[in-house]
Amino acid sequence: MTKGEAKKQALRWLDEATLNGQTAGIELTADYTDKFDYFLWNVLVFIAAIFKIEKRMKADAETGEKKGGYYSFKMPEDFMELERINMYTADTVTQLYGYIKESDNTFLIPKSVIDNEDIAVEFIYYAMPKEISYDAPDSTELEILPKAIQLVPLRLAIEATAGSDETNAISAYLEGKFSSMVNTLLGDEAGAFNITVERVYAQ
């Protein structure tokens, strides 16, 4: 999904709800589109905290820094949370537990593990999505798990209508839809999903 596609689908969530079925004028559409540009990055981070983007980083003597009996490894800029550290041999995969968290994004692994030529070590971590600036082109691709794509425009619609007396009811309703969709996706082991847009009218 591109930035432009996310904004277009977010408007589909909002147009009938906020206009009681009337066609959106250029002024209102422009106002929401501007809000979408500013909210998009936070929306991606919000969704990535639920549907985590898994990435991997190799750990060896060349990429680490010696500190006493350990090697220190600083995680990439997109690091959000450590999932696990794996050790690989020719025929086994085991999880490494004997590490130390030095800081929020730096970890220490025993020198004896890193210097063992028969063992390969890899960090498996959850990543922040690629940052999208407010003025990024609409053709910019969004980094998000495929099964969570449909949540992006809905979340944009929620953020754009939150905090206003005129649209708080719409935001609250869409928040309920968002929670329902998240629960469905989390419980969907097969990962199949459909993109649906409902008509919502303000009372």
Side-chain angles (χ1 to χ4, degrees):
M1 176 179 284
T2 65
K3 176 182 176 182
E5 290 169 341
K7 294 193 296 183
K8 184 177 180 179
Q9 290 186 31
L11 285 174
R12 290 178 61 195
W13 278 106
L14 291 177
D15 57 4
E16 296 186 19
T18 57
L19 299 171
N20 294 321
Q22 301 301 311
T23 303
I26 295 177
E27 183 178 347
L28 184 58
T29 299
D31 179 59
Y32 277 128
T33 301
D34 183 64
K35 289 181 179 180
F36 296 158
D37 286 333
Y38 282 92
F39 289 142
L40 182 57
W41 166 237
N42 288 333
V43 165
L44 294 177
V45 173
F46 182 89
I47 295 174
I50 304 171
F51 296 94
K52 301 178 185 296
I53 302 170
E54 184 178 286
K55 292 189 178 181
R56 294 165 182 262
M57 184 187 83
K58 181 181 179 182
D60 56 31
E62 294 182 359
T63 58
E65 177 185 353
K66 286 185 180 180
K67 289 190 175 181
Y70 293 89
Y71 278 93
S72 175
F73 295 92
K74 185 175 182 179
M75 302 303 293
E77 291 294 326
D78 63 356
F79 175 76
M80 180 184 287
E81 176 187 352
L82 181 67
E83 203 282 321
R84 65 186 183 280
I85 303 174
N86 278 352
M87 296 188 300
Y88 303 89
T89 64
D91 53 8
T92 64
V93 179
T94 57
Q95 187 170 343
L96 174 66
Y97 293 99
Y99 67 88
I100 297 173
K101 183 176 181 180
E102 186 177 26
S103 68
D104 288 342
N105 65 345
T106 307
F107 298 87
L108 300 175
I109 296 180
K111 191 173 180 290
S112 58
V113 174
I114 298 298
D115 287 340
N116 189 329
E117 295 182 357
D118 296 326
I119 297 177
V121 180
E122 187 176 48
F123 286 90
I124 293 87
Y125 69 97
Y126 296 130
M128 299 274 282
K130 183 179 179 180
E131 186 170 358
I132 304 293
S133 64
Y134 78 94
D135 58 352
D138 280 354
S139 59
T140 303
E141 291 285 340
L142 307 183
E143 185 178 20
I144 202 77
L145 287 187
K147 70 182 297 181
I149 285 175
Q150 63 178 312
L151 296 173
V152 175
L154 175 54
R155 193 72 219 175
L156 276 177
I158 292 169
E159 298 299 333
T161 52
S164 169
D165 290 340
E166 295 180 354
T167 57
N168 267 340
I170 296 298
S171 182
Y173 178 88
L174 294 178
E175 188 75 64
K177 294 295 298 180
F178 182 85
S179 296
S180 177
M181 291 170 68
V182 166
N183 290 333
T184 298
L185 290 174
L186 288 174
D188 184 4
E189 296 181 356
F193 61 90
N194 294 307
I195 297 178
T196 59
V197 178
E198 294 189 1
R199 295 183 178 182
V200 184
Y201 292 92
Q203 300 297 324

